[in-house]
């Protein structure tokens, strides 16, 4: 089976079931006659830009948000607004505190903004650390991020 068919099937599976691990996704694909390994699934997850959100039947699940043609999709904005608890900064570093388990979701949102002032970001379980190119630009970026949580 081709990569496109497999990736379309992955999107279909995660839209219907809470899939928490790569192994679970691998098992689901194997049931559908896709002979895949965990390494293949790992690449597909990266290619599809999947990330984990709080699940309904499991603690976490894989999710996908299309942002074709729209730099910041409404669904992603809503997720960001719902999970962010605070945005603070010191010098050229911004710290976003989120609800537990939502750091990667907030980090994916920040990355999708593609602000040129952001040098890089790291997401944990409930925190996103953002490094900005200068102290002067930090407050500008903070103000823009805070607009999304109003």
């Amino acid at each position: 089976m081709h990569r496109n068919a497999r990736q379309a099937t992955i999107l279909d599976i995660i839209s219907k079931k809470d899939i928490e691990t790569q192994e679970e996704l691998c098992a689901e694909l194997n049931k559908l006659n896709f002979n895949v390994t965990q390494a293949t699934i790992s690449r597909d997850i990266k290619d599809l830009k999947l990330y984990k959100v709080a699940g309904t039947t499991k603690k976490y699940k894989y999710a996908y948000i299309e942002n074709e043609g729209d730099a910041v999709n409404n669904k992603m904005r809503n997720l960001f607004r719902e999970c962010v608890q605070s945005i603070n900064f010191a010098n050229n570093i911004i710290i976003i505190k989120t609800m537990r388990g939502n750091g990667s979701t907030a980090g994916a949102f920040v990355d999708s903004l593609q602000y040129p002032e952001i040098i890089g970001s790291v997401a944990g379980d409930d925190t996103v650390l953002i490094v900005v190119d200068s102290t002067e630009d930090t407050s500008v970026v903070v103000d823009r991020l805070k607009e999304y949580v109003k």
Side-chain angles (χ1 to χ4, degrees):
M1 295 272 181
H2 295 315
R3 182 175 69 109
N4 290 346
R6 185 182 63 247
Q7 290 184 351
T9 303
I10 288 171
L11 295 176
D12 186 53
I13 291 169
I14 67 169
S15 73
K16 294 176 180 165
K17 290 184 174 180
D18 282 8
I19 303 292
E20 191 170 23
T21 65
Q22 291 180 6
E23 291 76 18
E24 286 176 46
L25 190 52
C26 198
E28 289 294 323
L29 284 165
N30 284 326
K31 283 184 206 171
L32 297 171
N33 297 321
F34 286 91
N35 187 12
V36 293
T37 64
Q38 185 269 326
T40 301
I41 297 303
S42 181
R43 279 190 299 276
D44 286 341
I45 287 169
K46 186 176 180 183
D47 288 350
L48 292 168
K49 297 182 175 93
L50 300 183
Y51 57 93
K52 288 192 175 182
V53 297
T56 49
T57 60
K58 297 183 179 180
K59 190 173 182 181
Y60 299 105
K61 68 176 183 174
Y62 281 106
Y64 171 74
I65 294 179
E66 294 181 64
N67 56 0
E68 299 293 321
D70 182 8
V72 184
N73 180 287
N74 282 336
K75 195 171 181 184
M76 198 146 187
R77 279 180 219 212
N78 292 338
L79 283 169
F80 185 74
R81 182 175 52 248
E82 296 298 319
C83 77
V84 170
Q85 293 179 324
S86 68
I87 301 175
N88 293 300
F89 67 97
N91 298 319
N92 69 324
I93 296 187
I94 301 170
I95 299 291
I96 299 175
K97 294 299 281 178
T98 69
M99 293 186 311
R100 201 163 163 222
N102 284 277
S104 62
T105 301
F109 175 78
V110 170
D111 289 347
S112 76
L113 296 172
Q114 298 182 345
Y115 288 159
E117 301 90 348
I118 295 177
I119 294 171
S121 65
V122 179
D125 184 57
D126 64 355
T127 306
V128 181
L129 172 99
I130 301 166
V131 179
V132 181
D133 63 2
S134 70
T135 304
E136 297 75 34
D137 285 339
T138 304
S139 61
V140 173
V141 173
V142 166
D143 290 344
R144 281 194 253 156
L145 291 172
K146 285 185 175 180
E147 286 295 315
Y148 290 107
V149 294
K150 286 183 177 177

